[in-house]
Amino acid sequence: MIIGGVEIKPGEEKHIKIPVAHLPSRTPINIEVIVARSLKDGPVLLLEGGLHGDEINGIEIIRRLLDNDLHVPEIGTTITIPVLNVFGFIHFSRDVPDGKDVNRSFPGSKNGSLASKVAYTVVKEILPHIDYGVDFHTGGASRSNYPQLRMSLPNKTNEMLAKGFHAPFSINSATIPKSLRATAAKMNKHIVVYEVGESMRYDELGIQEGISGTLRLLKSLGMRRDAPKAVKDSIHIDKMKWIRASASGLWISKVDNGEYVEAGERIGYIASPFDDYRVDIKISKSGYVVAVNNLPVISNGDALVHMGYTKQS
Ligand SMILES: [Zn+2]
């Protein structure tokens, strides 16, 4: 296996720096890749975080895996990229400095803008080697996702990966055009997305779930033996819908992330800061809370709670 011009032989672990561009200061920017190959041939799994530079939970999940040598396979190979979008990471930003989203820039081009260059490097250097991958994300600013694995269904391989990972929620989610997941799928590589918490914030529950899920996935692929058992069933979500504000003011939520709510239940209310009105927010369909907006100041139409519905609901 050769990545970034460096050969990785069976039984070797290498930390490779792939040059991708320079900052205006001429500071070189690399994509840093840790490749761990076992002596025994087997599946190749990509673990990648920080495609959106301000989504820290995935970066921390991967850091802890590396810290405890949990990325080292007994069979097969792991390719680990803790921080894919270094530009966003150092700017506390989802995007690269020109405002482009790397996850809408695939398959990218060699001589394109920054986002396009990062995407191109992944497509050229990484994707040809992999069989499967986990792409780690979080919700956007102040929107917090309950730990969940997203994949496009129906698809036998994606179902197998979801079953292996066993996240609290397994969510059927169509691929977004020009995303890493969509481009990989075209190359017949299966990447699932693990989402937890919100940008620039740690979510300890979700970090733990991410580590446990990754270890279960490695075990299910036959790459490692030990993995923590999941305590609850993974709930399969077929459709999602944001419940939006029907008034402006302060949002007072009465639901917890991950909770099941019955049709007709009040999930919170919007109150005037001057105490001259209060509007209850109720839901019309039973389902699970898969994400919440933690921002208390909201305008009419803003997203409040992301509901997930099973096939039965
Ligand atoms: Zn993201």
Side-chain angles (χ1 to χ4, degrees):
M1 184 184 283
I2 296 172
I3 291 178
V6 177
E7 188 179 4
I8 312 102
K9 296 196 178 99
E12 285 186 340
E13 172 165 343
K14 288 209 173 144
H15 186 148
I16 300 158
K17 297 181 183 187
I18 308 174
V20 65
H22 287 86
L23 296 180
S25 58
R26 300 304 299 154
T27 309
I29 295 290
N30 300 308
I31 295 176
E32 303 211 13
V33 187
I34 295 117
V35 185
R37 277 192 85 178
S38 116
L39 283 167
K40 293 179 193 156
D41 219 16
V44 180
L45 177 69
L46 170 68
L47 301 169
E48 167 274 316
L51 172 46
H52 292 136
D54 61 350
E55 300 186 0
I56 311 304
N57 287 315
I59 299 171
E60 174 61 7
I61 288 167
I62 294 175
R63 187 196 68 77
R64 289 197 206 172
L65 288 168
L66 292 171
D67 187 29
N68 294 290
D69 285 334
L70 297 172
H71 67 296
V72 180
E74 290 151 33
I75 290 172
T77 301
T78 60
I79 299 178
T80 306
I81 306 177
V83 188
L84 181 58
N85 175 7
V86 175
F87 304 100
F89 184 64
I90 59 178
H91 286 109
F92 315 120
S93 160
R94 172 186 174 91
D95 304 316
V96 295
D98 67 3
K100 287 207 176 75
D101 184 335
V102 179
N103 211 22
R104 304 290 182 273
S105 303
F106 280 86
S109 75
K110 193 179 180 179
N111 299 312
S113 63
L114 289 175
S116 187
K117 276 196 176 85
V118 173
Y120 177 82
T121 306
V122 173
V123 171
K124 186 168 169 281
E125 295 282 355
I126 307 296
L127 292 187
H129 298 289
I130 72 161
D131 299 304
Y132 316 107
V134 185
D135 179 21
F136 291 89
H137 286 261
T138 78
S142 79
R143 292 180 189 183
S144 181
N145 287 321
Y146 198 75
Q148 54 193 252
L149 199 73
R150 295 185 181 185
M151 75 295 306
S152 176
L153 297 174
N155 177 294
K156 284 257 174 319
T157 309
N158 287 345
E159 279 160 30
M160 179 268 289
L161 296 173
K163 202 175 164 201
F165 197 102
H166 201 106
F169 290 120
S170 300
I171 300 183
N172 180 17
S173 145
T175 53
I176 300 162
K178 302 183 92 174
S179 66
L180 168 63
R181 188 158 62 112
T183 301
K186 280 186 190 158
M187 298 166 73
N188 203 26
K189 315 286 183 178
H190 293 83
I191 295 185
V192 290
V193 170
Y194 179 71
E195 287 265 359
V196 68
E198 59 181 272
S199 59
M200 297 308 293
R201 298 278 180 274
Y202 284 138
D203 184 309
E204 188 54 35
L205 167 76
I207 291 169
Q208 295 290 346
E209 287 285 353
I211 293 167
S212 303
T214 304
L215 292 174
R216 282 191 291 268
L217 180 62
L218 283 160
K219 186 180 178 184
S220 75
L221 294 171
M223 297 173 71
R224 280 181 66 95
R225 267 169 291 190
D226 296 329
K229 279 208 164 59
V231 273
K232 287 182 186 164
D233 284 343
S234 181
I235 296 158
H236 289 256
I237 300 294
D238 195 48
K239 284 201 171 68
M240 292 191 289
K241 187 188 173 215
W242 277 100
I243 306 300
R244 294 188 176 273
S246 52
S248 302
L250 296 171
W251 164 234
I252 293 95
S253 173
K254 293 291 174 190
V255 286
D256 290 328
N257 214 353
E259 192 182 334
Y260 181 77
V261 273
E262 300 270 4
E265 225 176 284
R266 187 182 76 143
I267 57 166
Y269 59 89
I270 294 159
S272 155
F274 313 105
D275 199 30
D276 48 5
Y277 65 81
R278 174 189 282 213
V279 178
D280 280 340
I281 304 294
K282 290 180 178 173
I283 55 154
S284 57
K285 194 176 170 185
S286 304
Y288 292 89
V289 176
V290 297
V292 294
N293 180 7
N294 286 325
L295 191 69
V297 183
I298 52 115
S299 297
N300 199 327
D302 281 353
L304 300 174
V305 166
H306 209 182
M307 292 296 297
Y309 307 108
T310 61
K311 271 214 169 98
Q312 290 76 37
S313 63

PDB file of all heavy atoms in Angstrom, residues 10-23:
ATOM      1  N   PRO A  10       2.810  -4.833   5.322  1.00  0.00           N
ATOM      2  CA  PRO A  10       2.075  -5.555   6.366  1.00  0.00           C
ATOM      3  C   PRO A  10       2.846  -5.540   7.690  1.00  0.00           C
ATOM      4  O   PRO A  10       4.067  -5.698   7.703  1.00  0.00           O
ATOM      5  CB  PRO A  10       1.970  -6.983   5.806  1.00  0.00           C
ATOM      6  CG  PRO A  10       2.015  -6.801   4.328  1.00  0.00           C
ATOM      7  CD  PRO A  10       2.942  -5.641   4.097  1.00  0.00           C
ATOM      8  N   GLY A  11       2.134  -5.286   8.798  1.00  0.00           N
ATOM      9  CA  GLY A  11       2.756  -5.243  10.115  1.00  0.00           C
ATOM     10  C   GLY A  11       3.321  -3.883  10.481  1.00  0.00           C
ATOM     11  O   GLY A  11       3.809  -3.688  11.595  1.00  0.00           O
ATOM     12  N   GLU A  12       3.236  -2.911   9.552  1.00  0.00           N
ATOM     13  CA  GLU A  12       3.796  -1.579   9.828  1.00  0.00           C
ATOM     14  C   GLU A  12       2.706  -0.567  10.183  1.00  0.00           C
ATOM     15  O   GLU A  12       1.566  -0.684   9.752  1.00  0.00           O
ATOM     16  CB  GLU A  12       4.545  -1.054   8.591  1.00  0.00           C
ATOM     17  CG  GLU A  12       5.884  -1.717   8.368  1.00  0.00           C
ATOM     18  CD  GLU A  12       6.663  -1.077   7.210  1.00  0.00           C
ATOM     19  OE1 GLU A  12       6.067  -0.394   6.346  1.00  0.00           O
ATOM     20  OE2 GLU A  12       7.883  -1.286   7.186  1.00  0.00           O
ATOM     21  N   GLU A  13       3.116   0.450  10.978  1.00  0.00           N
ATOM     22  CA  GLU A  13       2.263   1.619  11.212  1.00  0.00           C
ATOM     23  C   GLU A  13       3.052   2.851  10.804  1.00  0.00           C
ATOM     24  O   GLU A  13       4.205   3.007  11.220  1.00  0.00           O
ATOM     25  CB  GLU A  13       1.849   1.706  12.688  1.00  0.00           C
ATOM     26  CG  GLU A  13       1.123   3.012  12.979  1.00  0.00           C
ATOM     27  CD  GLU A  13       0.356   3.066  14.296  1.00  0.00           C
ATOM     28  OE1 GLU A  13       0.093   2.004  14.896  1.00  0.00           O
ATOM     29  OE2 GLU A  13       0.021   4.191  14.705  1.00  0.00           O
ATOM     30  N   LYS A  14       2.454   3.699   9.975  1.00  0.00           N
ATOM     31  CA  LYS A  14       3.163   4.908   9.548  1.00  0.00           C
ATOM     32  C   LYS A  14       2.290   6.146   9.702  1.00  0.00           C
ATOM     33  O   LYS A  14       1.077   6.086   9.492  1.00  0.00           O
ATOM     34  CB  LYS A  14       3.631   4.754   8.099  1.00  0.00           C
ATOM     35  CG  LYS A  14       4.780   3.758   7.992  1.00  0.00           C
ATOM     36  CD  LYS A  14       5.720   4.039   6.855  1.00  0.00           C
ATOM     37  CE  LYS A  14       6.912   3.086   6.953  1.00  0.00           C
ATOM     38  NZ  LYS A  14       7.390   2.658   5.648  1.00  0.00           N
ATOM     39  N   HIS A  15       2.935   7.241  10.081  1.00  0.00           N
ATOM     40  CA  HIS A  15       2.280   8.553  10.197  1.00  0.00           C
ATOM     41  C   HIS A  15       2.760   9.379   8.999  1.00  0.00           C
ATOM     42  O   HIS A  15       3.943   9.734   8.912  1.00  0.00           O
ATOM     43  CB  HIS A  15       2.700   9.189  11.527  1.00  0.00           C
ATOM     44  CG  HIS A  15       1.987  10.455  11.840  1.00  0.00           C
ATOM     45  ND1 HIS A  15       1.697  10.840  13.131  1.00  0.00           N
ATOM     46  CD2 HIS A  15       1.484  11.430  11.059  1.00  0.00           C
ATOM     47  CE1 HIS A  15       1.063  12.004  13.120  1.00  0.00           C
ATOM     48  NE2 HIS A  15       0.926  12.381  11.864  1.00  0.00           N
ATOM     49  N   ILE A  16       1.858   9.625   8.076  1.00  0.00           N
ATOM     50  CA  ILE A  16       2.224  10.229   6.789  1.00  0.00           C
ATOM     51  C   ILE A  16       1.646  11.645   6.702  1.00  0.00           C
ATOM     52  O   ILE A  16       0.510  11.888   7.126  1.00  0.00           O
ATOM     53  CB  ILE A  16       1.664   9.357   5.630  1.00  0.00           C
ATOM     54  CG1 ILE A  16       2.253   7.945   5.721  1.00  0.00           C
ATOM     55  CG2 ILE A  16       1.958   9.981   4.271  1.00  0.00           C
ATOM     56  CD1 ILE A  16       1.416   6.902   5.016  1.00  0.00           C
ATOM     57  N   LYS A  17       2.441  12.556   6.162  1.00  0.00           N
ATOM     58  CA  LYS A  17       1.959  13.923   5.953  1.00  0.00           C
ATOM     59  C   LYS A  17       1.843  14.166   4.460  1.00  0.00           C
ATOM     60  O   LYS A  17       2.849  14.145   3.753  1.00  0.00           O
ATOM     61  CB  LYS A  17       2.914  14.932   6.594  1.00  0.00           C
ATOM     62  CG  LYS A  17       2.986  14.766   8.112  1.00  0.00           C
ATOM     63  CD  LYS A  17       3.914  15.780   8.738  1.00  0.00           C
ATOM     64  CE  LYS A  17       3.989  15.515  10.243  1.00  0.00           C
ATOM     65  NZ  LYS A  17       4.724  16.525  10.978  1.00  0.00           N
ATOM     66  N   ILE A  18       0.612  14.387   3.988  1.00  0.00           N
ATOM     67  CA  ILE A  18       0.417  14.634   2.554  1.00  0.00           C
ATOM     68  C   ILE A  18       0.265  16.143   2.359  1.00  0.00           C
ATOM     69  O   ILE A  18      -0.703  16.740   2.837  1.00  0.00           O
ATOM     70  CB  ILE A  18      -0.837  13.912   2.022  1.00  0.00           C
ATOM     71  CG1 ILE A  18      -0.806  12.418   2.392  1.00  0.00           C
ATOM     72  CG2 ILE A  18      -0.975  14.112   0.515  1.00  0.00           C
ATOM     73  CD1 ILE A  18      -2.090  11.674   2.033  1.00  0.00           C
ATOM     74  N   PRO A  19       1.216  16.787   1.645  1.00  0.00           N
ATOM     75  CA  PRO A  19       1.110  18.242   1.432  1.00  0.00           C
ATOM     76  C   PRO A  19      -0.118  18.553   0.580  1.00  0.00           C
ATOM     77  O   PRO A  19      -0.366  17.865  -0.417  1.00  0.00           O
ATOM     78  CB  PRO A  19       2.389  18.594   0.666  1.00  0.00           C
ATOM     79  CG  PRO A  19       3.228  17.360   0.658  1.00  0.00           C
ATOM     80  CD  PRO A  19       2.355  16.194   0.949  1.00  0.00           C
ATOM     81  N   VAL A  20      -0.901  19.546   0.997  1.00  0.00           N
ATOM     82  CA  VAL A  20      -2.117  19.843   0.232  1.00  0.00           C
ATOM     83  C   VAL A  20      -2.129  21.283  -0.293  1.00  0.00           C
ATOM     84  O   VAL A  20      -2.612  21.542  -1.388  1.00  0.00           O
ATOM     85  CB  VAL A  20      -3.389  19.462   1.042  1.00  0.00           C
ATOM     86  CG1 VAL A  20      -3.550  20.298   2.278  1.00  0.00           C
ATOM     87  CG2 VAL A  20      -4.635  19.514   0.199  1.00  0.00           C
ATOM     88  N   ALA A  21      -1.572  22.222   0.471  1.00  0.00           N
ATOM     89  CA  ALA A  21      -1.537  23.628   0.027  1.00  0.00           C
ATOM     90  C   ALA A  21      -0.685  24.430   1.011  1.00  0.00           C
ATOM     91  O   ALA A  21      -0.138  23.864   1.962  1.00  0.00           O
ATOM     92  CB  ALA A  21      -2.940  24.206  -0.031  1.00  0.00           C
ATOM     93  N   HIS A  22      -0.585  25.733   0.762  1.00  0.00           N
ATOM     94  CA  HIS A  22       0.099  26.631   1.697  1.00  0.00           C
ATOM     95  C   HIS A  22      -0.861  27.726   2.132  1.00  0.00           C
ATOM     96  O   HIS A  22      -1.717  28.144   1.364  1.00  0.00           O
ATOM     97  CB  HIS A  22       1.313  27.281   1.027  1.00  0.00           C
ATOM     98  CG  HIS A  22       2.462  26.348   0.832  1.00  0.00           C
ATOM     99  ND1 HIS A  22       2.557  25.530  -0.270  1.00  0.00           N
ATOM    100  CD2 HIS A  22       3.555  26.092   1.606  1.00  0.00           C
ATOM    101  CE1 HIS A  22       3.671  24.806  -0.171  1.00  0.00           C
ATOM    102  NE2 HIS A  22       4.287  25.120   0.958  1.00  0.00           N
ATOM    103  N   LEU A  23      -0.680  28.204   3.372  1.00  0.00           N
ATOM    104  CA  LEU A  23      -1.396  29.400   3.819  1.00  0.00           C
ATOM    105  C   LEU A  23      -0.772  30.608   3.118  1.00  0.00           C
ATOM    106  O   LEU A  23       0.348  30.496   2.590  1.00  0.00           O
ATOM    107  CB  LEU A  23      -1.263  29.551   5.339  1.00  0.00           C
ATOM    108  CG  LEU A  23      -1.892  28.455   6.204  1.00  0.00           C
ATOM    109  CD1 LEU A  23      -1.659  28.766   7.676  1.00  0.00           C
ATOM    110  CD2 LEU A  23      -3.377  28.326   5.916  1.00  0.00           C
TER     111      LEU A  23
END
